[in-house]
Amino acid sequence: MSSTLNKSTHVRYFLRCLKTLLPTAYTSNDSQRMTLAFFILCALDLLDALVSNTTEAERSAFIDWIYRCQHPDGGFRGFTGADMGERRDKTNQYWDPANIAATYFALATLAVLGDDLGRVRRKECLRWLKQLQLQDGTFGEALSPGGEVREGRDMRFCYCAAAIRWILGVDEREGDDIDVDGMMWFFEASQTYEGGFANGPFHEAQGYYSSSTAAGWTYCALSAMDLLGKLPSDSQSMQSMDAWPLAHSLEGLLGWLVSRQTSLLREEEDEDPVQTEDEHKSPVDVDNVYRPPAAAIEIASCVPPEYFLPGELDIEPSDSDVQFAGLSGRCNKPADTCYTFWAGGSLAILNKLHLIDQDALRQYLFTMTQHRIGGFGKLPGDPPDIMHSCLALAGLAGMGHPDLKAFDPSLCISLEARQQVERLPFRHTETDDEYFTDGSSREDLDTEITSTVGSAMQRLDMAAEET
């Protein structure tokens, strides 16, 4: 076990994933190659090992492959296997849709690779994105040939939509913008009494996969609101609870997120239901019970008592705080590597990472789930996998680990990649260069230039007459 980040080992792990065949277990994910590509390349970028370990020709080939997955009607496929090419017709186009998750991963991966997005069918993609939105403000996964929305009402799709919109630099005056107010209504309706967000109204708040309140749904809601420009843009504004855009309290959300930190490493199974309560209890090492940091105790003082179980507010910080404490997705669940990002990223977006014990979280990752061959497992003792390994690095980068690049938690890419997108020309123009950043058109500029030149010539003629 190591108490530090084994950077070189992780670099080798992700390079193996990039340049050799993946293990058999990934076979069922063949149609999700775009997702796997994002996690691998994003991780190498965070490790600052992408450019130094790949050639320009290789990166250009990666970019070309992504554009091969672009759909003619807008958006991206999950892999090239669904592309019918010249054989695409009305009888088989049902099997060749773009989907919203693959589109986000494609655009984010292009940003990581430093592409200028010049080959993205931007207008078609934004038009397609608008068609995916449902009446309740949520989004579907794909469009059928008849224009019907497939699946839908999923907080993850809302996040993907907000990220796609941000990356492509949509302007409301273009007429293809989504219903932002509808999305905000859905977010507000999905925040639960616990403080976190569920996958939809009347569900339980949870982390990612179930329909309950979870750190994953919560991350998707918060990052989407951030990318839509609905959260305060600076940490000072977020210090004020009045800056929170939803009706439910920010205090409740923070209390719920902070309570996701736990020293529970495995779910306890009741193998013998006939045991008495006393017999079922196992000895507890009081020195290894997780106690929240002082900052968490401080935030608890401003959270309404109904958010806590009896006795929870009586816990006091101690010098014998547990050494390892990960983050879980929802109540009564063990720590899980990926929630370092889902829950930790949520706090990072709110500028509240200081409320959890970051040292205990880092030691949980380094000692419990970091694998000797590189990568991170889901739980202690598990083999590494691409998603958990990438999200572990993302969580560590969000906490400012010195061996990783600066990180943007809302887009789940390095800050350098985000800034690359922000510098792209189309983000500083509107309606494909017909408008400038101040809202004036080229025609307005031509008129102003003509007027200015005319006035200057007139002044020169007057000066000549005077002399």
Short mmCIF file of all heavy atoms in Angstrom, two decimals, residues 84-141:
data_model
loop_
_atom_site.label_atom_id
_atom_site.label_comp_id
_atom_site.label_asym_id
_atom_site.label_seq_id
_atom_site.Cartn_x
_atom_site.Cartn_y
_atom_site.Cartn_z
N MET A 84 -23.68 3.47 -41.11
CA MET A 84 -24.03 2.71 -42.31
C MET A 84 -23.38 3.27 -43.57
O MET A 84 -23.40 2.65 -44.62
CB MET A 84 -25.55 2.69 -42.49
CG MET A 84 -26.30 2.11 -41.30
SD MET A 84 -25.94 0.37 -41.05
CE MET A 84 -26.96 0.03 -39.60
N GLY A 85 -22.81 4.47 -43.47
CA GLY A 85 -22.15 5.07 -44.61
C GLY A 85 -23.08 5.27 -45.78
O GLY A 85 -24.23 5.73 -45.62
N GLU A 86 -22.62 4.91 -46.96
CA GLU A 86 -23.42 5.08 -48.17
C GLU A 86 -24.64 4.17 -48.19
O GLU A 86 -25.59 4.41 -48.96
CB GLU A 86 -22.56 4.81 -49.40
CG GLU A 86 -21.42 5.82 -49.57
CD GLU A 86 -20.58 5.51 -50.79
OE1 GLU A 86 -20.83 4.45 -51.44
OE2 GLU A 86 -19.68 6.31 -51.11
N ARG A 87 -24.65 3.14 -47.37
CA ARG A 87 -25.78 2.21 -47.34
C ARG A 87 -26.90 2.68 -46.40
O ARG A 87 -27.91 2.00 -46.26
CB ARG A 87 -25.30 0.83 -46.90
CG ARG A 87 -24.30 0.20 -47.86
CD ARG A 87 -23.93 -1.20 -47.41
NE ARG A 87 -23.00 -1.82 -48.35
CZ ARG A 87 -22.53 -3.07 -48.21
NH1 ARG A 87 -22.93 -3.80 -47.19
NH2 ARG A 87 -21.69 -3.55 -49.10
N ARG A 88 -26.70 3.80 -45.78
CA ARG A 88 -27.73 4.31 -44.87
C ARG A 88 -28.97 4.71 -45.66
O ARG A 88 -28.90 5.48 -46.60
CB ARG A 88 -27.18 5.51 -44.08
CG ARG A 88 -28.09 6.01 -42.97
CD ARG A 88 -27.36 7.08 -42.16
NE ARG A 88 -28.10 7.45 -40.97
CZ ARG A 88 -29.00 8.45 -40.92
NH1 ARG A 88 -29.21 9.18 -42.00
NH2 ARG A 88 -29.63 8.72 -39.80
N ASP A 89 -30.13 4.19 -45.23
CA ASP A 89 -31.38 4.54 -45.88
C ASP A 89 -32.51 4.49 -44.84
O ASP A 89 -32.24 4.30 -43.64
CB ASP A 89 -31.68 3.61 -47.05
CG ASP A 89 -31.69 2.13 -46.65
OD1 ASP A 89 -32.07 1.84 -45.50
OD2 ASP A 89 -31.29 1.29 -47.47
N LYS A 90 -33.74 4.62 -45.28
CA LYS A 90 -34.87 4.67 -44.36
C LYS A 90 -35.09 3.36 -43.62
O LYS A 90 -35.71 3.33 -42.56
CB LYS A 90 -36.13 5.05 -45.13
CG LYS A 90 -36.11 6.49 -45.66
CD LYS A 90 -37.42 6.82 -46.37
CE LYS A 90 -37.38 8.27 -46.87
NZ LYS A 90 -38.65 8.62 -47.58
N THR A 91 -34.59 2.27 -44.19
CA THR A 91 -34.81 0.97 -43.54
C THR A 91 -33.83 0.68 -42.42
O THR A 91 -34.10 -0.14 -41.54
CB THR A 91 -34.72 -0.17 -44.59
OG1 THR A 91 -33.39 -0.18 -45.14
CG2 THR A 91 -35.74 0.05 -45.70
N ASN A 92 -32.65 1.32 -42.42
CA ASN A 92 -31.65 1.02 -41.39
C ASN A 92 -31.22 2.22 -40.56
O ASN A 92 -30.42 2.08 -39.65
CB ASN A 92 -30.41 0.37 -42.02
CG ASN A 92 -29.73 1.26 -43.05
OD1 ASN A 92 -29.75 2.49 -42.95
ND2 ASN A 92 -29.11 0.65 -44.06
N GLN A 93 -31.77 3.40 -40.86
CA GLN A 93 -31.31 4.59 -40.13
C GLN A 93 -31.71 4.56 -38.66
O GLN A 93 -31.11 5.27 -37.84
CB GLN A 93 -31.86 5.86 -40.79
CG GLN A 93 -33.37 5.95 -40.84
CD GLN A 93 -33.85 7.24 -41.52
OE1 GLN A 93 -33.12 8.22 -41.57
NE2 GLN A 93 -35.05 7.21 -42.05
N TYR A 94 -32.69 3.73 -38.32
CA TYR A 94 -33.07 3.60 -36.91
C TYR A 94 -31.90 3.11 -36.07
O TYR A 94 -31.80 3.44 -34.89
CB TYR A 94 -34.25 2.63 -36.79
CG TYR A 94 -34.76 2.46 -35.38
CD1 TYR A 94 -35.73 3.31 -34.86
CD2 TYR A 94 -34.26 1.45 -34.54
CE1 TYR A 94 -36.20 3.16 -33.56
CE2 TYR A 94 -34.73 1.29 -33.23
CZ TYR A 94 -35.69 2.16 -32.76
OH TYR A 94 -36.15 2.02 -31.48
N TRP A 95 -31.02 2.34 -36.66
CA TRP A 95 -29.90 1.75 -35.93
C TRP A 95 -28.67 2.66 -35.94
O TRP A 95 -27.61 2.29 -35.44
CB TRP A 95 -29.52 0.40 -36.54
CG TRP A 95 -30.70 -0.51 -36.64
CD1 TRP A 95 -31.42 -0.82 -37.76
CD2 TRP A 95 -31.33 -1.20 -35.56
NE1 TRP A 95 -32.46 -1.67 -37.46
CE2 TRP A 95 -32.42 -1.92 -36.10
CE3 TRP A 95 -31.08 -1.28 -34.19
CZ2 TRP A 95 -33.25 -2.72 -35.33
CZ3 TRP A 95 -31.91 -2.08 -33.41
CH2 TRP A 95 -32.99 -2.78 -33.97
N ASP A 96 -28.81 3.84 -36.48
CA ASP A 96 -27.66 4.74 -36.61
C ASP A 96 -27.98 6.14 -36.07
O ASP A 96 -27.94 7.13 -36.79
CB ASP A 96 -27.24 4.84 -38.08
CG ASP A 96 -26.02 5.74 -38.28
OD1 ASP A 96 -25.23 5.87 -37.33
OD2 ASP A 96 -25.89 6.32 -39.37
N PRO A 97 -28.34 6.25 -34.79
CA PRO A 97 -28.64 7.57 -34.24
C PRO A 97 -27.42 8.18 -33.54
O PRO A 97 -26.51 7.45 -33.09
CB PRO A 97 -29.73 7.27 -33.21
CG PRO A 97 -29.33 5.92 -32.67
CD PRO A 97 -28.67 5.18 -33.83
N ALA A 98 -27.41 9.48 -33.45
CA ALA A 98 -26.48 10.14 -32.52
C ALA A 98 -27.10 10.05 -31.13
O ALA A 98 -28.32 9.96 -30.99
CB ALA A 98 -26.29 11.59 -32.92
N ASN A 99 -26.28 10.04 -30.09
CA ASN A 99 -26.85 10.07 -28.74
C ASN A 99 -26.17 11.16 -27.92
O ASN A 99 -25.02 11.54 -28.18
CB ASN A 99 -26.80 8.70 -28.06
CG ASN A 99 -25.42 8.32 -27.58
OD1 ASN A 99 -24.93 8.81 -26.57
ND2 ASN A 99 -24.76 7.42 -28.33
N ILE A 100 -26.89 11.66 -26.93
CA ILE A 100 -26.48 12.87 -26.23
C ILE A 100 -25.22 12.65 -25.40
O ILE A 100 -24.36 13.55 -25.31
CB ILE A 100 -27.64 13.41 -25.37
CG1 ILE A 100 -27.36 14.85 -24.95
CG2 ILE A 100 -27.92 12.50 -24.19
CD1 ILE A 100 -28.59 15.54 -24.33
N ALA A 101 -25.07 11.46 -24.80
CA ALA A 101 -23.88 11.20 -23.99
C ALA A 101 -22.63 11.13 -24.86
O ALA A 101 -21.60 11.74 -24.54
CB ALA A 101 -24.05 9.90 -23.20
N ALA A 102 -22.73 10.40 -25.99
CA ALA A 102 -21.58 10.29 -26.89
C ALA A 102 -21.20 11.66 -27.44
O ALA A 102 -20.01 11.94 -27.67
CB ALA A 102 -21.91 9.34 -28.04
N THR A 103 -22.18 12.53 -27.64
CA THR A 103 -21.89 13.87 -28.17
C THR A 103 -21.10 14.70 -27.16
O THR A 103 -20.12 15.37 -27.52
CB THR A 103 -23.20 14.59 -28.54
OG1 THR A 103 -23.90 13.80 -29.51
CG2 THR A 103 -22.92 15.97 -29.10
N TYR A 104 -21.50 14.64 -25.89
CA TYR A 104 -20.70 15.33 -24.86
C TYR A 104 -19.29 14.77 -24.81
O TYR A 104 -18.30 15.53 -24.80
CB TYR A 104 -21.36 15.22 -23.49
CG TYR A 104 -20.36 15.40 -22.36
CD1 TYR A 104 -19.76 16.63 -22.13
CD2 TYR A 104 -19.99 14.31 -21.57
CE1 TYR A 104 -18.81 16.78 -21.12
CE2 TYR A 104 -19.05 14.45 -20.57
CZ TYR A 104 -18.46 15.68 -20.35
OH TYR A 104 -17.52 15.82 -19.36
N PHE A 105 -19.17 13.44 -24.74
CA PHE A 105 -17.84 12.83 -24.64
C PHE A 105 -16.99 13.16 -25.86
O PHE A 105 -15.78 13.39 -25.74
CB PHE A 105 -17.96 11.32 -24.47
CG PHE A 105 -18.42 10.90 -23.10
CD1 PHE A 105 -19.53 10.09 -22.93
CD2 PHE A 105 -17.72 11.30 -21.97
CE1 PHE A 105 -19.96 9.71 -21.67
CE2 PHE A 105 -18.13 10.93 -20.69
CZ PHE A 105 -19.26 10.12 -20.54
N ALA A 106 -17.59 13.20 -27.04
CA ALA A 106 -16.84 13.52 -28.25
C ALA A 106 -16.30 14.94 -28.20
O ALA A 106 -15.11 15.19 -28.46
CB ALA A 106 -17.73 13.33 -29.48
N LEU A 107 -17.15 15.90 -27.85
CA LEU A 107 -16.74 17.30 -27.81
C LEU A 107 -15.70 17.53 -26.71
O LEU A 107 -14.71 18.25 -26.91
CB LEU A 107 -17.95 18.21 -27.59
CG LEU A 107 -18.98 18.25 -28.73
CD1 LEU A 107 -20.20 19.07 -28.32
CD2 LEU A 107 -18.36 18.83 -30.00
N ALA A 108 -15.90 16.91 -25.55
CA ALA A 108 -14.94 17.06 -24.45
C ALA A 108 -13.60 16.44 -24.81
O ALA A 108 -12.54 17.00 -24.48
CB ALA A 108 -15.50 16.44 -23.17
N THR A 109 -13.62 15.30 -25.49
CA THR A 109 -12.37 14.65 -25.88
C THR A 109 -11.64 15.46 -26.93
O THR A 109 -10.40 15.58 -26.90
CB THR A 109 -12.64 13.23 -26.40
OG1 THR A 109 -13.40 12.50 -25.44
CG2 THR A 109 -11.34 12.49 -26.67
N LEU A 110 -12.37 16.05 -27.87
CA LEU A 110 -11.75 16.94 -28.85
C LEU A 110 -11.07 18.12 -28.16
O LEU A 110 -9.98 18.55 -28.55
CB LEU A 110 -12.79 17.45 -29.85
CG LEU A 110 -13.30 16.41 -30.87
CD1 LEU A 110 -14.47 16.98 -31.66
CD2 LEU A 110 -12.18 15.97 -31.82
N ALA A 111 -11.72 18.63 -27.11
CA ALA A 111 -11.12 19.73 -26.34
C ALA A 111 -9.83 19.28 -25.66
O ALA A 111 -8.82 20.00 -25.66
CB ALA A 111 -12.11 20.25 -25.30
N VAL A 112 -9.84 18.08 -25.09
CA VAL A 112 -8.64 17.54 -24.44
C VAL A 112 -7.51 17.38 -25.44
O VAL A 112 -6.34 17.62 -25.12
CB VAL A 112 -8.98 16.19 -23.76
CG1 VAL A 112 -7.71 15.47 -23.35
CG2 VAL A 112 -9.88 16.42 -22.54
N LEU A 113 -7.85 16.99 -26.67
CA LEU A 113 -6.84 16.79 -27.71
C LEU A 113 -6.40 18.09 -28.37
O LEU A 113 -5.53 18.08 -29.25
CB LEU A 113 -7.39 15.84 -28.78
CG LEU A 113 -7.56 14.37 -28.33
CD1 LEU A 113 -8.38 13.60 -29.35
CD2 LEU A 113 -6.20 13.72 -28.13
N GLY A 114 -6.99 19.21 -27.98
CA GLY A 114 -6.58 20.51 -28.51
C GLY A 114 -7.14 20.82 -29.88
O GLY A 114 -6.62 21.69 -30.58
N ASP A 115 -8.22 20.15 -30.28
CA ASP A 115 -8.82 20.40 -31.59
C ASP A 115 -9.57 21.73 -31.58
O ASP A 115 -10.06 22.18 -30.54
CB ASP A 115 -9.78 19.27 -31.95
CG ASP A 115 -10.37 19.42 -33.32
OD1 ASP A 115 -9.61 19.38 -34.31
OD2 ASP A 115 -11.60 19.60 -33.42
N ASP A 116 -9.68 22.36 -32.75
CA ASP A 116 -10.36 23.65 -32.84
C ASP A 116 -11.86 23.52 -33.11
O ASP A 116 -12.56 24.52 -33.30
CB ASP A 116 -9.72 24.54 -33.92
CG ASP A 116 -9.86 23.95 -35.32
OD1 ASP A 116 -10.46 22.85 -35.48
OD2 ASP A 116 -9.34 24.57 -36.27
N LEU A 117 -12.37 22.29 -33.12
CA LEU A 117 -13.80 22.00 -33.35
C LEU A 117 -14.28 22.54 -34.70
O LEU A 117 -15.48 22.70 -34.91
CB LEU A 117 -14.67 22.57 -32.22
CG LEU A 117 -14.29 22.18 -30.79
CD1 LEU A 117 -15.33 22.70 -29.80
CD2 LEU A 117 -14.12 20.68 -30.64
N GLY A 118 -13.34 22.78 -35.60
CA GLY A 118 -13.69 23.36 -36.88
C GLY A 118 -14.52 22.45 -37.76
O GLY A 118 -15.23 22.92 -38.66
N ARG A 119 -14.46 21.14 -37.52
CA ARG A 119 -15.22 20.20 -38.34
C ARG A 119 -16.55 19.79 -37.68
O ARG A 119 -17.28 18.96 -38.24
CB ARG A 119 -14.38 18.96 -38.63
CG ARG A 119 -13.28 19.19 -39.66
CD ARG A 119 -12.55 17.89 -39.96
NE ARG A 119 -11.47 17.64 -39.01
CZ ARG A 119 -10.80 16.49 -38.92
NH1 ARG A 119 -11.13 15.48 -39.73
NH2 ARG A 119 -9.82 16.34 -38.05
N VAL A 120 -16.85 20.36 -36.52
CA VAL A 120 -18.12 20.04 -35.86
C VAL A 120 -19.26 20.70 -36.63
O VAL A 120 -19.19 21.89 -36.96
CB VAL A 120 -18.11 20.52 -34.39
CG1 VAL A 120 -19.50 20.33 -33.77
CG2 VAL A 120 -17.06 19.78 -33.58
N ARG A 121 -20.31 19.94 -36.92
CA ARG A 121 -21.51 20.51 -37.55
C ARG A 121 -22.30 21.23 -36.46
O ARG A 121 -23.29 20.72 -35.93
CB ARG A 121 -22.34 19.40 -38.20
CG ARG A 121 -21.63 18.70 -39.34
CD ARG A 121 -22.57 17.72 -40.05
NE ARG A 121 -21.90 17.07 -41.16
CZ ARG A 121 -21.34 15.87 -41.11
NH1 ARG A 121 -21.36 15.19 -39.97
NH2 ARG A 121 -20.75 15.34 -42.16
N ARG A 122 -21.84 22.44 -36.17
CA ARG A 122 -22.33 23.15 -34.99
C ARG A 122 -23.82 23.45 -35.05
O ARG A 122 -24.56 23.19 -34.10
CB ARG A 122 -21.51 24.44 -34.84
CG ARG A 122 -21.89 25.30 -33.65
CD ARG A 122 -20.89 26.42 -33.44
NE ARG A 122 -21.37 27.37 -32.46
CZ ARG A 122 -22.10 28.44 -32.75
NH1 ARG A 122 -22.45 28.67 -34.01
NH2 ARG A 122 -22.50 29.25 -31.80
N LYS A 123 -24.28 24.02 -36.15
CA LYS A 123 -25.69 24.37 -36.24
C LYS A 123 -26.59 23.14 -36.20
O LYS A 123 -27.62 23.13 -35.54
CB LYS A 123 -25.95 25.16 -37.53
CG LYS A 123 -25.48 26.61 -37.49
CD LYS A 123 -25.93 27.36 -38.73
CE LYS A 123 -25.58 28.84 -38.64
NZ LYS A 123 -26.05 29.59 -39.83
N GLU A 124 -26.17 22.08 -36.92
CA GLU A 124 -26.95 20.85 -36.92
C GLU A 124 -27.00 20.24 -35.52
O GLU A 124 -28.04 19.73 -35.08
CB GLU A 124 -26.36 19.85 -37.90
CG GLU A 124 -26.51 20.22 -39.36
CD GLU A 124 -25.38 21.12 -39.85
OE1 GLU A 124 -24.64 21.68 -39.01
OE2 GLU A 124 -25.23 21.26 -41.08
N CYS A 125 -25.87 20.31 -34.81
CA CYS A 125 -25.80 19.74 -33.46
C CYS A 125 -26.71 20.50 -32.50
O CYS A 125 -27.44 19.89 -31.70
CB CYS A 125 -24.36 19.76 -32.96
SG CYS A 125 -24.11 18.86 -31.42
N LEU A 126 -26.71 21.82 -32.56
CA LEU A 126 -27.55 22.61 -31.67
C LEU A 126 -29.03 22.42 -32.00
O LEU A 126 -29.87 22.39 -31.10
CB LEU A 126 -27.16 24.09 -31.77
CG LEU A 126 -25.78 24.45 -31.20
CD1 LEU A 126 -25.42 25.89 -31.52
CD2 LEU A 126 -25.76 24.22 -29.69
N ARG A 127 -29.34 22.30 -33.28
CA ARG A 127 -30.73 22.06 -33.69
C ARG A 127 -31.19 20.69 -33.19
O ARG A 127 -32.32 20.53 -32.70
CB ARG A 127 -30.85 22.17 -35.20
CG ARG A 127 -32.27 22.27 -35.72
CD ARG A 127 -32.28 22.48 -37.23
NE ARG A 127 -31.56 23.72 -37.59
CZ ARG A 127 -30.50 23.74 -38.37
NH1 ARG A 127 -30.01 22.62 -38.88
NH2 ARG A 127 -29.91 24.89 -38.66
N TRP A 128 -30.32 19.69 -33.34
CA TRP A 128 -30.61 18.34 -32.85
C TRP A 128 -30.79 18.34 -31.33
O TRP A 128 -31.71 17.70 -30.80
CB TRP A 128 -29.47 17.43 -33.28
CG TRP A 128 -29.41 16.09 -32.63
CD1 TRP A 128 -30.15 14.99 -32.94
CD2 TRP A 128 -28.54 15.70 -31.55
NE1 TRP A 128 -29.79 13.93 -32.14
CE2 TRP A 128 -28.82 14.34 -31.28
CE3 TRP A 128 -27.57 16.36 -30.81
CZ2 TRP A 128 -28.14 13.64 -30.29
CZ3 TRP A 128 -26.89 15.67 -29.82
CH2 TRP A 128 -27.18 14.32 -29.57
N LEU A 129 -29.94 19.07 -30.63
CA LEU A 129 -30.02 19.14 -29.17
C LEU A 129 -31.36 19.73 -28.73
O LEU A 129 -32.00 19.23 -27.79
CB LEU A 129 -28.87 19.99 -28.63
CG LEU A 129 -28.76 20.10 -27.10
CD1 LEU A 129 -28.47 18.75 -26.48
CD2 LEU A 129 -27.69 21.11 -26.71
N LYS A 130 -31.81 20.76 -29.40
CA LYS A 130 -33.09 21.38 -29.05
C LYS A 130 -34.23 20.40 -29.25
O LYS A 130 -35.18 20.37 -28.45
CB LYS A 130 -33.30 22.63 -29.90
CG LYS A 130 -34.56 23.42 -29.54
CD LYS A 130 -34.67 24.68 -30.37
CE LYS A 130 -35.93 25.47 -30.00
NZ LYS A 130 -36.05 26.71 -30.82
N GLN A 131 -34.16 19.58 -30.27
CA GLN A 131 -35.21 18.60 -30.53
C GLN A 131 -35.27 17.51 -29.46
O GLN A 131 -36.32 16.88 -29.27
CB GLN A 131 -34.98 17.94 -31.90
CG GLN A 131 -35.22 18.86 -33.08
CD GLN A 131 -34.92 18.15 -34.40
OE1 GLN A 131 -33.75 17.92 -34.74
NE2 GLN A 131 -35.95 17.80 -35.13
N LEU A 132 -34.16 17.29 -28.77
CA LEU A 132 -34.13 16.25 -27.74
C LEU A 132 -34.81 16.68 -26.44
O LEU A 132 -35.08 15.83 -25.58
CB LEU A 132 -32.67 15.88 -27.42
CG LEU A 132 -31.93 15.01 -28.42
CD1 LEU A 132 -30.47 14.87 -28.03
CD2 LEU A 132 -32.59 13.64 -28.54
N GLN A 133 -35.08 17.96 -26.27
CA GLN A 133 -35.66 18.43 -25.01
C GLN A 133 -37.14 18.10 -24.92
O GLN A 133 -37.90 18.27 -25.88
CB GLN A 133 -35.44 19.93 -24.83
CG GLN A 133 -35.76 20.41 -23.41
CD GLN A 133 -35.23 21.81 -23.14
OE1 GLN A 133 -35.02 22.59 -24.06
NE2 GLN A 133 -35.02 22.13 -21.86
N LEU A 134 -37.55 17.64 -23.74
CA LEU A 134 -38.94 17.28 -23.48
C LEU A 134 -39.67 18.43 -22.79
O LEU A 134 -39.05 19.40 -22.35
CB LEU A 134 -38.99 16.02 -22.62
CG LEU A 134 -38.33 14.78 -23.24
CD1 LEU A 134 -38.17 13.68 -22.21
CD2 LEU A 134 -39.13 14.29 -24.43
N GLN A 135 -40.97 18.29 -22.65
CA GLN A 135 -41.78 19.37 -22.11
C GLN A 135 -41.45 19.69 -20.66
O GLN A 135 -41.64 20.82 -20.21
CB GLN A 135 -43.26 19.03 -22.25
CG GLN A 135 -43.77 19.06 -23.69
CD GLN A 135 -45.26 18.83 -23.77
OE1 GLN A 135 -45.91 18.46 -22.80
NE2 GLN A 135 -45.83 19.07 -24.94
N ASP A 136 -40.96 18.69 -19.91
CA ASP A 136 -40.64 18.94 -18.50
C ASP A 136 -39.25 19.52 -18.32
O ASP A 136 -38.77 19.66 -17.19
CB ASP A 136 -40.79 17.65 -17.69
CG ASP A 136 -39.83 16.55 -18.13
OD1 ASP A 136 -39.06 16.78 -19.08
OD2 ASP A 136 -39.85 15.46 -17.52
N GLY A 137 -38.57 19.86 -19.42
CA GLY A 137 -37.24 20.48 -19.33
C GLY A 137 -36.10 19.51 -19.43
O GLY A 137 -34.95 19.92 -19.59
N THR A 138 -36.37 18.20 -19.35
CA THR A 138 -35.31 17.20 -19.43
C THR A 138 -35.01 16.87 -20.89
O THR A 138 -35.60 17.43 -21.80
CB THR A 138 -35.72 15.92 -18.68
OG1 THR A 138 -36.92 15.38 -19.29
CG2 THR A 138 -36.00 16.21 -17.22
N PHE A 139 -34.10 15.91 -21.07
CA PHE A 139 -33.66 15.56 -22.42
C PHE A 139 -33.73 14.06 -22.63
O PHE A 139 -33.56 13.27 -21.69
CB PHE A 139 -32.23 16.05 -22.66
CG PHE A 139 -32.13 17.53 -22.84
CD1 PHE A 139 -32.16 18.38 -21.73
CD2 PHE A 139 -32.06 18.10 -24.10
CE1 PHE A 139 -32.09 19.75 -21.89
CE2 PHE A 139 -31.99 19.47 -24.26
CZ PHE A 139 -32.02 20.29 -23.16
N GLY A 140 -33.98 13.69 -23.88
CA GLY A 140 -33.91 12.29 -24.26
C GLY A 140 -32.49 11.92 -24.65
O GLY A 140 -31.60 12.77 -24.72
N GLU A 141 -32.31 10.64 -24.95
CA GLU A 141 -30.98 10.15 -25.30
C GLU A 141 -30.70 10.28 -26.79
O GLU A 141 -29.58 10.58 -27.20
CB GLU A 141 -30.84 8.69 -24.88
CG GLU A 141 -29.48 8.09 -25.18
CD GLU A 141 -29.38 6.64 -24.74
OE1 GLU A 141 -30.41 6.08 -24.35
OE2 GLU A 141 -28.27 6.08 -24.80
#
